Every structure is written in C-alpha cells, then in structure tokens.
Amino acid sequence: MVTMFLFDGSDTASHTILLAHGAGAPMDSASMTKSAQALAASGSRVARFEFGYMASRRTGEGRKPPPRADTLRGEYLAAIDALAAEGSLVIGGKSMGGRVASMVADDLHASGSIAGLLCLGYPFHPPAKPDQLRTAHLVDLKTPALIVQGTRDQFGSRDEVTGYRLSENIEFLWLEDGDHDLKPRKTISGFSEADHMTTLTKAVSEWIGRISR
C-alpha cells in the first residue's frame, strides 16, 4: 500500500499533526478540511491520509465498508513511517481515525516517536448505543491526549463522557452545542463554526506547546 498525504501548513513548522479520517468520509471531507486548514493557519503542519478501504473508492474498486478499527492499526503505523516527520509528531484523527491512533499511541509515545494524541470527535460509542463503550484502552492511556468533542455529539455527549472512567492524561476541549463534526447551531448556542475553529486552534497550539517541551 502506498500512502498518499494531503498537506496543509509550512514544511518548516516545529511539529506535524497526522490525521486519519472517520469511518464514512474521506480525508478531504468538509469537516477534516476545515480543521486541517484552521490548524495549519495557527502554525501547525498537518498531514492527512486515508486507510486502504477508503482510498480504494477513488480508484473505482467499489464502496468497501470500513473494517473493524483495531484491524487498521498496521496501516496507521505504516503511514507514520511513510510520513517520516521531522520535529515533534502528534497523531490522531477524526472519529474512527482518532480511535485507531489511540490504539497505537502508547507504544509510540514510550519509544519517543510521538509527542501526543489529538482526537477530533472521539466515537465513545455508536449512536443510540451508549452501553457499547469504546473506552477500555483509554482507562490507562499513558500518552498526553487532547479530545475535542462537541457537547451534543451522538457518539459521546458531555453529559455521558463526564461519567466515564478515563486516564488522567486525557484532556478535553468541549465545544458548546457541537455535533460529531464539531458544528454548533448558532441560533441555539450563539457560536458559529468559525468560532469553534478559533477555539480549537488556540487550545491545540497551547496543548502542543506544553507536551512538546
């Protein structure tokens, strides 16, 4: 498998953020593009990539369903090797992409290969199935992590997630009224999507500054 990347930001940035996509949308989805461009504008170098099942949809091989997240760990590790980033590296992704990154993070952090884990809309459970938690490996996570989550995310709202047992190494940025794509309803919350992107980039920049020292 040949990993192709989409890059945003300067090649001379002090750190790179590697992001994988969610289960149903590609690396150039509107949500991922907005997040990547916002992070790049705040000083990050951002690299996006696709798992094989998603990349195959671009070559006319049909719409393959997403495999189990744990089976994608090898592809994430291969993307890290192919990227060969210089400087600090943060791994993560949107939804399932962040979940896969969280499964490989501790070994990479222990070896000094990554500085941290960034998840944009973590899928704590399938929609309408709050008992099917995907948090077992997050209880003892050793890697510094930042999870950016909308308060009304159907994969894990603030009311739900605050009751979970999670590692103290996980920090949260809660975006008011944000959905799984972090988008708020301005007429209800008073916040626009641009407002949330500004909040996200400021928080991520400050967090990376702390964990990269």
Side-chain angles (χ1 to χ4, degrees), residues 106-140:
D106 273 357
D107 286 344
L108 294 167
H109 185 259
S111 68
S113 300
I114 65 169
L117 169 70
L118 174 64
C119 299
L120 306 176
Y122 187 87
F124 287 97
H125 59 74
K129 297 179 180 180
D131 295 331
Q132 296 183 19
L133 291 181
R134 299 157 170 168
T135 58
H137 68 293
L138 300 180
V139 174
D140 298 313

PDB file of all heavy atoms in Angstrom, residues 106-140:
ATOM      1  N   ASP A 106       0.371   4.565  22.793  1.00  0.00           N
ATOM      2  CA  ASP A 106       1.236   4.358  23.951  1.00  0.00           C
ATOM      3  C   ASP A 106       2.595   3.766  23.584  1.00  0.00           C
ATOM      4  O   ASP A 106       3.630   4.191  24.118  1.00  0.00           O
ATOM      5  CB  ASP A 106       0.537   3.489  24.988  1.00  0.00           C
ATOM      6  CG  ASP A 106      -0.327   4.304  25.938  1.00  0.00           C
ATOM      7  OD1 ASP A 106      -0.341   5.546  25.831  1.00  0.00           O
ATOM      8  OD2 ASP A 106      -0.987   3.698  26.809  1.00  0.00           O
ATOM      9  N   ASP A 107       2.623   2.791  22.702  1.00  0.00           N
ATOM     10  CA  ASP A 107       3.919   2.218  22.297  1.00  0.00           C
ATOM     11  C   ASP A 107       4.785   3.271  21.610  1.00  0.00           C
ATOM     12  O   ASP A 107       6.002   3.333  21.835  1.00  0.00           O
ATOM     13  CB  ASP A 107       3.712   1.033  21.359  1.00  0.00           C
ATOM     14  CG  ASP A 107       3.214  -0.211  22.087  1.00  0.00           C
ATOM     15  OD1 ASP A 107       3.312  -0.248  23.328  1.00  0.00           O
ATOM     16  OD2 ASP A 107       2.730  -1.135  21.408  1.00  0.00           O
ATOM     17  N   LEU A 108       4.163   4.098  20.783  1.00  0.00           N
ATOM     18  CA  LEU A 108       4.900   5.137  20.073  1.00  0.00           C
ATOM     19  C   LEU A 108       5.398   6.218  21.025  1.00  0.00           C
ATOM     20  O   LEU A 108       6.513   6.709  20.892  1.00  0.00           O
ATOM     21  CB  LEU A 108       4.017   5.754  18.994  1.00  0.00           C
ATOM     22  CG  LEU A 108       3.620   4.822  17.851  1.00  0.00           C
ATOM     23  CD1 LEU A 108       2.508   5.440  17.023  1.00  0.00           C
ATOM     24  CD2 LEU A 108       4.827   4.523  16.960  1.00  0.00           C
ATOM     25  N   HIS A 109       4.568   6.578  21.990  1.00  0.00           N
ATOM     26  CA  HIS A 109       4.990   7.603  22.956  1.00  0.00           C
ATOM     27  C   HIS A 109       6.105   7.080  23.845  1.00  0.00           C
ATOM     28  O   HIS A 109       7.063   7.801  24.157  1.00  0.00           O
ATOM     29  CB  HIS A 109       3.799   8.050  23.802  1.00  0.00           C
ATOM     30  CG  HIS A 109       4.110   9.183  24.724  1.00  0.00           C
ATOM     31  ND1 HIS A 109       4.349   9.002  26.072  1.00  0.00           N
ATOM     32  CD2 HIS A 109       4.264  10.506  24.484  1.00  0.00           C
ATOM     33  CE1 HIS A 109       4.598  10.173  26.628  1.00  0.00           C
ATOM     34  NE2 HIS A 109       4.561  11.098  25.686  1.00  0.00           N
ATOM     35  N   ALA A 110       6.012   5.824  24.242  1.00  0.00           N
ATOM     36  CA  ALA A 110       7.047   5.237  25.094  1.00  0.00           C
ATOM     37  C   ALA A 110       8.399   5.201  24.393  1.00  0.00           C
ATOM     38  O   ALA A 110       9.450   5.330  25.035  1.00  0.00           O
ATOM     39  CB  ALA A 110       6.635   3.832  25.525  1.00  0.00           C
ATOM     40  N   SER A 111       8.371   5.048  23.083  1.00  0.00           N
ATOM     41  CA  SER A 111       9.628   4.998  22.308  1.00  0.00           C
ATOM     42  C   SER A 111      10.114   6.385  21.902  1.00  0.00           C
ATOM     43  O   SER A 111      11.170   6.508  21.279  1.00  0.00           O
ATOM     44  CB  SER A 111       9.430   4.145  21.050  1.00  0.00           C
ATOM     45  OG  SER A 111       8.548   4.778  20.137  1.00  0.00           O
ATOM     46  N   GLY A 112       9.347   7.418  22.234  1.00  0.00           N
ATOM     47  CA  GLY A 112       9.732   8.777  21.878  1.00  0.00           C
ATOM     48  C   GLY A 112       9.375   9.166  20.457  1.00  0.00           C
ATOM     49  O   GLY A 112       9.818  10.211  19.970  1.00  0.00           O
ATOM     50  N   SER A 113       8.541   8.365  19.785  1.00  0.00           N
ATOM     51  CA  SER A 113       8.208   8.640  18.385  1.00  0.00           C
ATOM     52  C   SER A 113       7.151   9.715  18.213  1.00  0.00           C
ATOM     53  O   SER A 113       7.092  10.366  17.163  1.00  0.00           O
ATOM     54  CB  SER A 113       7.724   7.353  17.704  1.00  0.00           C
ATOM     55  OG  SER A 113       8.727   6.355  17.754  1.00  0.00           O
ATOM     56  N   ILE A 114       6.288   9.877  19.210  1.00  0.00           N
ATOM     57  CA  ILE A 114       5.235  10.889  19.137  1.00  0.00           C
ATOM     58  C   ILE A 114       5.198  11.682  20.436  1.00  0.00           C
ATOM     59  O   ILE A 114       5.613  11.206  21.492  1.00  0.00           O
ATOM     60  CB  ILE A 114       3.838  10.276  18.868  1.00  0.00           C
ATOM     61  CG1 ILE A 114       3.401   9.402  20.041  1.00  0.00           C
ATOM     62  CG2 ILE A 114       3.833   9.505  17.561  1.00  0.00           C
ATOM     63  CD1 ILE A 114       1.940   8.982  19.981  1.00  0.00           C
ATOM     64  N   ALA A 115       4.660  12.915  20.318  1.00  0.00           N
ATOM     65  CA  ALA A 115       4.521  13.759  21.499  1.00  0.00           C
ATOM     66  C   ALA A 115       3.143  13.636  22.131  1.00  0.00           C
ATOM     67  O   ALA A 115       2.987  13.836  23.336  1.00  0.00           O
ATOM     68  CB  ALA A 115       4.774  15.228  21.125  1.00  0.00           C
ATOM     69  N   GLY A 116       2.123  13.312  21.307  1.00  0.00           N
ATOM     70  CA  GLY A 116       0.782  13.254  21.858  1.00  0.00           C
ATOM     71  C   GLY A 116      -0.241  12.743  20.876  1.00  0.00           C
ATOM     72  O   GLY A 116       0.078  12.375  19.731  1.00  0.00           O
ATOM     73  N   LEU A 117      -1.491  12.741  21.342  1.00  0.00           N
ATOM     74  CA  LEU A 117      -2.628  12.202  20.602  1.00  0.00           C
ATOM     75  C   LEU A 117      -3.724  13.260  20.546  1.00  0.00           C
ATOM     76  O   LEU A 117      -4.112  13.806  21.584  1.00  0.00           O
ATOM     77  CB  LEU A 117      -3.145  10.946  21.314  1.00  0.00           C
ATOM     78  CG  LEU A 117      -4.484  10.366  20.877  1.00  0.00           C
ATOM     79  CD1 LEU A 117      -4.372   9.745  19.492  1.00  0.00           C
ATOM     80  CD2 LEU A 117      -4.966   9.340  21.903  1.00  0.00           C
ATOM     81  N   LEU A 118      -4.226  13.543  19.336  1.00  0.00           N
ATOM     82  CA  LEU A 118      -5.286  14.534  19.146  1.00  0.00           C
ATOM     83  C   LEU A 118      -6.474  13.871  18.463  1.00  0.00           C
ATOM     84  O   LEU A 118      -6.362  13.399  17.329  1.00  0.00           O
ATOM     85  CB  LEU A 118      -4.784  15.700  18.290  1.00  0.00           C
ATOM     86  CG  LEU A 118      -5.824  16.752  17.887  1.00  0.00           C
ATOM     87  CD1 LEU A 118      -6.377  17.478  19.126  1.00  0.00           C
ATOM     88  CD2 LEU A 118      -5.227  17.755  16.908  1.00  0.00           C
ATOM     89  N   CYS A 119      -7.616  13.842  19.146  1.00  0.00           N
ATOM     90  CA  CYS A 119      -8.827  13.230  18.595  1.00  0.00           C
ATOM     91  C   CYS A 119      -9.885  14.302  18.381  1.00  0.00           C
ATOM     92  O   CYS A 119     -10.211  15.055  19.311  1.00  0.00           O
ATOM     93  CB  CYS A 119      -9.372  12.160  19.537  1.00  0.00           C
ATOM     94  SG  CYS A 119      -8.230  10.786  19.827  1.00  0.00           S
ATOM     95  N   LEU A 120     -10.420  14.345  17.180  1.00  0.00           N
ATOM     96  CA  LEU A 120     -11.474  15.303  16.835  1.00  0.00           C
ATOM     97  C   LEU A 120     -12.794  14.559  16.742  1.00  0.00           C
ATOM     98  O   LEU A 120     -13.070  13.883  15.764  1.00  0.00           O
ATOM     99  CB  LEU A 120     -11.141  15.981  15.497  1.00  0.00           C
ATOM    100  CG  LEU A 120      -9.770  16.650  15.399  1.00  0.00           C
ATOM    101  CD1 LEU A 120      -9.536  17.194  13.997  1.00  0.00           C
ATOM    102  CD2 LEU A 120      -9.632  17.759  16.439  1.00  0.00           C
ATOM    103  N   GLY A 121     -13.603  14.636  17.784  1.00  0.00           N
ATOM    104  CA  GLY A 121     -14.854  13.907  17.826  1.00  0.00           C
ATOM    105  C   GLY A 121     -14.618  12.423  18.042  1.00  0.00           C
ATOM    106  O   GLY A 121     -14.762  11.620  17.128  1.00  0.00           O
ATOM    107  N   TYR A 122     -14.226  12.025  19.258  1.00  0.00           N
ATOM    108  CA  TYR A 122     -13.944  10.611  19.521  1.00  0.00           C
ATOM    109  C   TYR A 122     -15.256   9.820  19.563  1.00  0.00           C
ATOM    110  O   TYR A 122     -16.226  10.246  20.186  1.00  0.00           O
ATOM    111  CB  TYR A 122     -13.197  10.429  20.843  1.00  0.00           C
ATOM    112  CG  TYR A 122     -12.743   9.009  21.055  1.00  0.00           C
ATOM    113  CD1 TYR A 122     -11.530   8.573  20.544  1.00  0.00           C
ATOM    114  CD2 TYR A 122     -13.546   8.092  21.732  1.00  0.00           C
ATOM    115  CE1 TYR A 122     -11.119   7.256  20.705  1.00  0.00           C
ATOM    116  CE2 TYR A 122     -13.153   6.772  21.889  1.00  0.00           C
ATOM    117  CZ  TYR A 122     -11.937   6.359  21.374  1.00  0.00           C
ATOM    118  OH  TYR A 122     -11.540   5.053  21.524  1.00  0.00           O
ATOM    119  N   PRO A 123     -15.304   8.644  18.915  1.00  0.00           N
ATOM    120  CA  PRO A 123     -16.528   7.832  18.916  1.00  0.00           C
ATOM    121  C   PRO A 123     -16.607   6.941  20.153  1.00  0.00           C
ATOM    122  O   PRO A 123     -16.309   5.747  20.107  1.00  0.00           O
ATOM    123  CB  PRO A 123     -16.384   6.999  17.634  1.00  0.00           C
ATOM    124  CG  PRO A 123     -14.900   6.794  17.506  1.00  0.00           C
ATOM    125  CD  PRO A 123     -14.261   8.066  18.038  1.00  0.00           C
ATOM    126  N   PHE A 124     -17.035   7.519  21.250  1.00  0.00           N
ATOM    127  CA  PHE A 124     -17.066   6.765  22.510  1.00  0.00           C
ATOM    128  C   PHE A 124     -18.013   5.572  22.456  1.00  0.00           C
ATOM    129  O   PHE A 124     -17.794   4.572  23.132  1.00  0.00           O
ATOM    130  CB  PHE A 124     -17.462   7.699  23.655  1.00  0.00           C
ATOM    131  CG  PHE A 124     -16.380   8.645  24.052  1.00  0.00           C
ATOM    132  CD1 PHE A 124     -16.353   9.940  23.552  1.00  0.00           C
ATOM    133  CD2 PHE A 124     -15.363   8.255  24.908  1.00  0.00           C
ATOM    134  CE1 PHE A 124     -15.342  10.819  23.909  1.00  0.00           C
ATOM    135  CE2 PHE A 124     -14.351   9.118  25.273  1.00  0.00           C
ATOM    136  CZ  PHE A 124     -14.344  10.418  24.768  1.00  0.00           C
ATOM    137  N   HIS A 125     -19.050   5.688  21.665  1.00  0.00           N
ATOM    138  CA  HIS A 125     -19.993   4.581  21.471  1.00  0.00           C
ATOM    139  C   HIS A 125     -20.743   4.829  20.161  1.00  0.00           C
ATOM    140  O   HIS A 125     -20.783   5.967  19.672  1.00  0.00           O
ATOM    141  CB  HIS A 125     -20.979   4.479  22.634  1.00  0.00           C
ATOM    142  CG  HIS A 125     -21.807   5.722  22.843  1.00  0.00           C
ATOM    143  ND1 HIS A 125     -22.844   6.084  22.002  1.00  0.00           N
ATOM    144  CD2 HIS A 125     -21.757   6.689  23.804  1.00  0.00           C
ATOM    145  CE1 HIS A 125     -23.392   7.215  22.424  1.00  0.00           C
ATOM    146  NE2 HIS A 125     -22.755   7.607  23.499  1.00  0.00           N
ATOM    147  N   PRO A 126     -21.342   3.802  19.571  1.00  0.00           N
ATOM    148  CA  PRO A 126     -22.161   4.036  18.376  1.00  0.00           C
ATOM    149  C   PRO A 126     -23.378   4.886  18.744  1.00  0.00           C
ATOM    150  O   PRO A 126     -23.853   4.835  19.878  1.00  0.00           O
ATOM    151  CB  PRO A 126     -22.585   2.620  17.958  1.00  0.00           C
ATOM    152  CG  PRO A 126     -21.631   1.702  18.647  1.00  0.00           C
ATOM    153  CD  PRO A 126     -21.257   2.382  19.925  1.00  0.00           C
ATOM    154  N   PRO A 127     -23.900   5.658  17.803  1.00  0.00           N
ATOM    155  CA  PRO A 127     -25.091   6.463  18.088  1.00  0.00           C
ATOM    156  C   PRO A 127     -26.245   5.597  18.597  1.00  0.00           C
ATOM    157  O   PRO A 127     -26.487   4.506  18.076  1.00  0.00           O
ATOM    158  CB  PRO A 127     -25.425   7.085  16.726  1.00  0.00           C
ATOM    159  CG  PRO A 127     -24.120   7.137  16.014  1.00  0.00           C
ATOM    160  CD  PRO A 127     -23.393   5.899  16.441  1.00  0.00           C
ATOM    161  N   ALA A 128     -26.905   6.078  19.628  1.00  0.00           N
ATOM    162  CA  ALA A 128     -28.065   5.410  20.229  1.00  0.00           C
ATOM    163  C   ALA A 128     -27.715   4.083  20.901  1.00  0.00           C
ATOM    164  O   ALA A 128     -28.610   3.313  21.252  1.00  0.00           O
ATOM    165  CB  ALA A 128     -29.170   5.205  19.198  1.00  0.00           C
ATOM    166  N   LYS A 129     -26.411   3.828  21.101  1.00  0.00           N
ATOM    167  CA  LYS A 129     -25.989   2.598  21.781  1.00  0.00           C
ATOM    168  C   LYS A 129     -24.978   2.945  22.880  1.00  0.00           C
ATOM    169  O   LYS A 129     -23.812   2.565  22.817  1.00  0.00           O
ATOM    170  CB  LYS A 129     -25.389   1.609  20.786  1.00  0.00           C
ATOM    171  CG  LYS A 129     -26.378   1.134  19.720  1.00  0.00           C
ATOM    172  CD  LYS A 129     -25.736   0.173  18.746  1.00  0.00           C
ATOM    173  CE  LYS A 129     -26.735  -0.291  17.695  1.00  0.00           C
ATOM    174  NZ  LYS A 129     -26.130  -1.236  16.719  1.00  0.00           N
ATOM    175  N   PRO A 130     -25.401   3.694  23.890  1.00  0.00           N
ATOM    176  CA  PRO A 130     -24.466   4.193  24.903  1.00  0.00           C
ATOM    177  C   PRO A 130     -23.813   3.117  25.750  1.00  0.00           C
ATOM    178  O   PRO A 130     -22.817   3.393  26.432  1.00  0.00           O
ATOM    179  CB  PRO A 130     -25.356   5.107  25.752  1.00  0.00           C
ATOM    180  CG  PRO A 130     -26.736   4.558  25.576  1.00  0.00           C
ATOM    181  CD  PRO A 130     -26.784   4.096  24.150  1.00  0.00           C
ATOM    182  N   ASP A 131     -24.347   1.889  25.706  1.00  0.00           N
ATOM    183  CA  ASP A 131     -23.750   0.815  26.503  1.00  0.00           C
ATOM    184  C   ASP A 131     -22.579   0.136  25.796  1.00  0.00           C
ATOM    185  O   ASP A 131     -21.827  -0.611  26.426  1.00  0.00           O
ATOM    186  CB  ASP A 131     -24.805  -0.235  26.848  1.00  0.00           C
ATOM    187  CG  ASP A 131     -25.904   0.310  27.752  1.00  0.00           C
ATOM    188  OD1 ASP A 131     -25.607   1.242  28.522  1.00  0.00           O
ATOM    189  OD2 ASP A 131     -27.037  -0.186  27.676  1.00  0.00           O
ATOM    190  N   GLN A 132     -22.420   0.398  24.501  1.00  0.00           N
ATOM    191  CA  GLN A 132     -21.330  -0.221  23.738  1.00  0.00           C
ATOM    192  C   GLN A 132     -20.114   0.700  23.730  1.00  0.00           C
ATOM    193  O   GLN A 132     -19.729   1.268  22.704  1.00  0.00           O
ATOM    194  CB  GLN A 132     -21.796  -0.541  22.318  1.00  0.00           C
ATOM    195  CG  GLN A 132     -22.915  -1.564  22.257  1.00  0.00           C
ATOM    196  CD  GLN A 132     -23.313  -1.918  20.837  1.00  0.00           C
ATOM    197  OE1 GLN A 132     -22.562  -1.693  19.875  1.00  0.00           O
ATOM    198  NE2 GLN A 132     -24.504  -2.471  20.673  1.00  0.00           N
ATOM    199  N   LEU A 133     -19.491   0.831  24.888  1.00  0.00           N
ATOM    200  CA  LEU A 133     -18.387   1.779  25.048  1.00  0.00           C
ATOM    201  C   LEU A 133     -17.114   1.300  24.362  1.00  0.00           C
ATOM    202  O   LEU A 133     -16.818   0.099  24.326  1.00  0.00           O
ATOM    203  CB  LEU A 133     -18.114   2.023  26.528  1.00  0.00           C
ATOM    204  CG  LEU A 133     -19.194   2.790  27.293  1.00  0.00           C
ATOM    205  CD1 LEU A 133     -18.776   2.981  28.745  1.00  0.00           C
ATOM    206  CD2 LEU A 133     -19.471   4.136  26.642  1.00  0.00           C
ATOM    207  N   ARG A 134     -16.363   2.287  23.838  1.00  0.00           N
ATOM    208  CA  ARG A 134     -15.073   2.025  23.206  1.00  0.00           C
ATOM    209  C   ARG A 134     -13.975   2.719  24.004  1.00  0.00           C
ATOM    210  O   ARG A 134     -13.157   3.454  23.466  1.00  0.00           O
ATOM    211  CB  ARG A 134     -15.097   2.552  21.779  1.00  0.00           C
ATOM    212  CG  ARG A 134     -16.161   1.887  20.888  1.00  0.00           C
ATOM    213  CD  ARG A 134     -16.523   2.767  19.731  1.00  0.00           C
ATOM    214  NE  ARG A 134     -17.346   2.086  18.733  1.00  0.00           N
ATOM    215  CZ  ARG A 134     -17.981   2.713  17.746  1.00  0.00           C
ATOM    216  NH1 ARG A 134     -17.879   4.044  17.631  1.00  0.00           N
ATOM    217  NH2 ARG A 134     -18.704   2.043  16.885  1.00  0.00           N
ATOM    218  N   THR A 135     -13.967   2.463  25.292  1.00  0.00           N
ATOM    219  CA  THR A 135     -13.091   3.219  26.193  1.00  0.00           C
ATOM    220  C   THR A 135     -12.113   2.362  26.983  1.00  0.00           C
ATOM    221  O   THR A 135     -11.307   2.912  27.739  1.00  0.00           O
ATOM    222  CB  THR A 135     -13.937   4.021  27.199  1.00  0.00           C
ATOM    223  OG1 THR A 135     -14.784   3.108  27.937  1.00  0.00           O
ATOM    224  CG2 THR A 135     -14.807   5.042  26.491  1.00  0.00           C
ATOM    225  N   ALA A 136     -12.159   1.047  26.841  1.00  0.00           N
ATOM    226  CA  ALA A 136     -11.343   0.182  27.696  1.00  0.00           C
ATOM    227  C   ALA A 136      -9.866   0.559  27.646  1.00  0.00           C
ATOM    228  O   ALA A 136      -9.197   0.628  28.688  1.00  0.00           O
ATOM    229  CB  ALA A 136     -11.541  -1.287  27.291  1.00  0.00           C
ATOM    230  N   HIS A 137      -9.352   0.835  26.443  1.00  0.00           N
ATOM    231  CA  HIS A 137      -7.923   1.142  26.309  1.00  0.00           C
ATOM    232  C   HIS A 137      -7.598   2.572  26.718  1.00  0.00           C
ATOM    233  O   HIS A 137      -6.423   2.942  26.812  1.00  0.00           O
ATOM    234  CB  HIS A 137      -7.457   0.899  24.873  1.00  0.00           C
ATOM    235  CG  HIS A 137      -8.035   1.845  23.882  1.00  0.00           C
ATOM    236  ND1 HIS A 137      -9.373   1.860  23.561  1.00  0.00           N
ATOM    237  CD2 HIS A 137      -7.467   2.833  23.134  1.00  0.00           C
ATOM    238  CE1 HIS A 137      -9.601   2.806  22.667  1.00  0.00           C
ATOM    239  NE2 HIS A 137      -8.464   3.399  22.380  1.00  0.00           N
ATOM    240  N   LEU A 138      -8.616   3.381  26.971  1.00  0.00           N
ATOM    241  CA  LEU A 138      -8.389   4.765  27.373  1.00  0.00           C
ATOM    242  C   LEU A 138      -8.274   4.929  28.882  1.00  0.00           C
ATOM    243  O   LEU A 138      -7.902   5.990  29.360  1.00  0.00           O
ATOM    244  CB  LEU A 138      -9.527   5.656  26.860  1.00  0.00           C
ATOM    245  CG  LEU A 138      -9.727   5.705  25.345  1.00  0.00           C
ATOM    246  CD1 LEU A 138     -10.888   6.642  25.003  1.00  0.00           C
ATOM    247  CD2 LEU A 138      -8.455   6.160  24.639  1.00  0.00           C
ATOM    248  N   VAL A 139      -8.583   3.886  29.614  1.00  0.00           N
ATOM    249  CA  VAL A 139      -8.543   3.970  31.079  1.00  0.00           C
ATOM    250  C   VAL A 139      -7.122   4.184  31.569  1.00  0.00           C
ATOM    251  O   VAL A 139      -6.878   4.976  32.490  1.00  0.00           O
ATOM    252  CB  VAL A 139      -9.151   2.704  31.703  1.00  0.00           C
ATOM    253  CG1 VAL A 139      -8.980   2.729  33.227  1.00  0.00           C
ATOM    254  CG2 VAL A 139     -10.631   2.584  31.350  1.00  0.00           C
ATOM    255  N   ASP A 140      -6.171   3.492  30.969  1.00  0.00           N
ATOM    256  CA  ASP A 140      -4.769   3.562  31.408  1.00  0.00           C
ATOM    257  C   ASP A 140      -3.861   4.202  30.363  1.00  0.00           C
ATOM    258  O   ASP A 140      -2.654   3.954  30.344  1.00  0.00           O
ATOM    259  CB  ASP A 140      -4.254   2.156  31.742  1.00  0.00           C
ATOM    260  CG  ASP A 140      -5.024   1.522  32.890  1.00  0.00           C
ATOM    261  OD1 ASP A 140      -5.230   2.204  33.908  1.00  0.00           O
ATOM    262  OD2 ASP A 140      -5.427   0.348  32.751  1.00  0.00           O
TER     263      ASP A 140
END
